[in-house]
Amino acid sequence: MRYFDLHCDTLGECTVKNLPLRDNKELQLSLERGRGFSAWFQCFAAWIPDTESHPLEYFRRVVQRRRKEEEQNQDWLQFCSKASDFYSTNQEKKCGGIFTVEGASVLEGRLETLDELAENDVKVITLTWNAANEIGGGVQEPGGLTPFGQKVLQRMEELHILPDVSHASEALFWDVLEHTQGPVLATHSNAKSLCSHPRNLTDRQFLALKQRGGLVGLNFYPVFLADSGNASAVDILRHAEHFLSLGGEDCLAMGSDFDGAAMPEGIIGIESIERLAELFAQHGYSDALIDRIFYQNSFRFFEKYM
Ligand SMILES: [Zn+2]
């Protein structure tokens, strides 16, 4: 099967814990355990914790780790820089890595830092983590887009770096839509009408992203799947079902949050994706629709905007 995942924190974990991306038992994702996919794209985030006092320095550490992993895994991994990379990685049966940053605190309030991010092939920036930053409010510290945030969005558009509103406060979410023309993603967020956690999207938000030609990636974290915090793989299906009922067949995707979250019953890590797809099939999903959600919607999106 083909798989395209909009968010994992594995690269950060490899950096901090000095674990190999190629083969490890400690993490929820390794290149080795994803070898079964006939095509595989994985967004690897450099997550910037809100408490990080030197965000840019930390980002550079993750970049170094990324370079090291690329060098040591040339046979299995290639980070996508330009549009043609999206085809060559597939042909060469490699995992196509997409480098993202989670938390625009990385900019340390300087617009020029965006150039460094672009030079390092960052394709998506999750604008905030849970706290507010120089851009605007996060889910735990509400607030809209700042004047600096407006400039950041404008420069991101010029550099072809896409904004991700997972973790954004609702005020920031709507401000971002107002101040951008291009597509906006929510790489790892679920449906608020099924689980009321503030990290999830209201139906109105989902429809706005859909209308904008964006993507919404389903997050596997039990706390975002069910209000009880107890969830299984079936709950991922429930959220998919809901978004599909809102017309999400073209914008629904996967955003596992591997190595950034605990997993629901039935999901161990990247090796469980095949079984998750089988679960969708058992519930009457056609192969074509499964492929859209698990791969094609995201592939088409990046093909178009890269
Ligand atoms: Zn996150």
Side-chain angles (χ1 to χ4, degrees), residues 189-194 200-203 205-207 210 216-219 236-249 251-253:
S189 294
N190 294 334
K192 207 174 246 175
S193 47
L194 296 187
N200 287 339
L201 300 168
T202 64
D203 290 356
Q205 287 179 305
F206 179 82
L207 290 169
K210 170 184 149 65
V216 174
L218 293 168
N219 190 315
I236 300 171
L237 184 82
R238 278 197 316 128
H239 283 265
E241 198 84 43
H242 180 76
F243 284 141
L244 288 172
S245 78
L246 299 173
E249 63 275 2
C251 65
L252 191 57

Side-chain angles (χ1 to χ4, degrees), residues 7 102-103 125-130 138-139 163-169 172-173 184-190 199 201 209 215-217 219:
H7 187 84
E102 185 173 28
I125 298 176
T126 312
L127 298 174
T128 66
W129 200 57
N130 292 333
V139 282
D164 173 13
V165 289
S166 283
H167 288 278
S169 70
L172 177 61
F173 177 98
V184 176
L185 303 101
T187 57
H188 56 307
S189 294
N190 294 334
R199 274 280 283 101
L201 300 168
L209 291 176
L215 286 174
V216 174
N219 190 315

Side-chain angles (χ1 to χ4, degrees), residues 1 3 37 220 258 269-277 294:
M1 73 171 289
Y3 186 55
F37 297 125
F220 299 174
F258 284 140
I270 190 77
E271 63 270 51
S272 309
I273 294 299
E274 193 112 32
R275 242 188 312 156
L276 181 63
F294 282 74

Side-chain angles (χ1 to χ4, degrees), residues 57-283:
E57 216 172 285
Y58 175 75
F59 168 75
R60 288 174 180 156
R61 265 181 72 199
V62 182
V63 169
Q64 267 176 12
R65 183 76 201 195
R66 190 206 118 171
R67 301 276 178 217
K68 184 176 157 185
E69 293 294 348
E70 259 184 316
E71 216 173 279
Q72 291 177 345
N73 298 297
Q74 286 175 25
D75 51 346
W76 285 2
L77 173 70
Q78 187 192 334
F79 274 84
C80 297
S81 173
K82 53 195 184 301
S84 60
D85 295 339
F86 282 85
Y87 301 100
S88 59
T89 52
N90 260 354
Q91 270 166 5
E92 293 164 21
K93 294 220 53 166
K94 290 178 186 174
C95 171
I98 295 155
F99 195 32
T100 73
V101 172
E102 185 173 28
S105 58
V106 71
L107 303 177
E108 296 183 356
R110 287 189 307 270
L111 204 58
E112 310 84 72
T113 313
L114 280 172
D115 294 285
E116 180 175 338
L117 266 56
E119 279 160 25
N120 283 295
D121 302 321
V122 169
K123 302 299 180 197
V124 175
I125 298 176
T126 312
L127 298 174
T128 66
W129 200 57
N130 292 333
N133 62 25
E134 292 84 353
I135 306 281
V139 282
Q140 282 173 1
E141 208 178 325
L145 187 69
T146 63
F148 175 70
Q150 285 185 34
K151 285 185 201 153
V152 168
L153 286 174
Q154 199 181 354
R155 185 70 185 132
M156 280 171 67
E157 212 154 339
E158 288 161 15
L159 293 167
H160 301 286
I161 302 176
L162 299 165
D164 173 13
V165 289
S166 283
H167 288 278
S169 70
E170 215 180 320
L172 177 61
F173 177 98
W174 293 111
D175 283 351
V176 169
L177 284 189
E178 198 186 311
H179 290 274
T180 51
Q181 275 86 50
V184 176
L185 303 101
T187 57
H188 56 307
S189 294
N190 294 334
K192 207 174 246 175
S193 47
L194 296 187
C195 171
S196 62
H197 197 283
R199 274 280 283 101
N200 287 339
L201 300 168
T202 64
D203 290 356
R204 231 183 106 222
Q205 287 179 305
F206 179 82
L207 290 169
L209 291 176
K210 170 184 149 65
Q211 202 176 28
R212 187 57 80 83
L215 286 174
V216 174
L218 293 168
N219 190 315
F220 299 174
Y221 186 33
V223 174
F224 303 160
L225 285 169
D227 280 325
S228 68
N230 294 315
S232 73
V234 178
D235 292 292
I236 300 171
L237 184 82
R238 278 197 316 128
H239 283 265
E241 198 84 43
H242 180 76
F243 284 141
L244 288 172
S245 78
L246 299 173
E249 63 275 2
D250 293 325
C251 65
L252 191 57
M254 288 292 168
S256 66
D257 219 347
F258 284 140
D259 293 308
M263 287 293 125
E265 205 190 309
I267 307 272
I268 301 163
I270 190 77
E271 63 270 51
S272 309
I273 294 299
E274 193 112 32
R275 242 188 312 156
L276 181 63
E278 276 164 27
L279 185 75
F280 276 61
Q282 283 160 15
H283 283 78

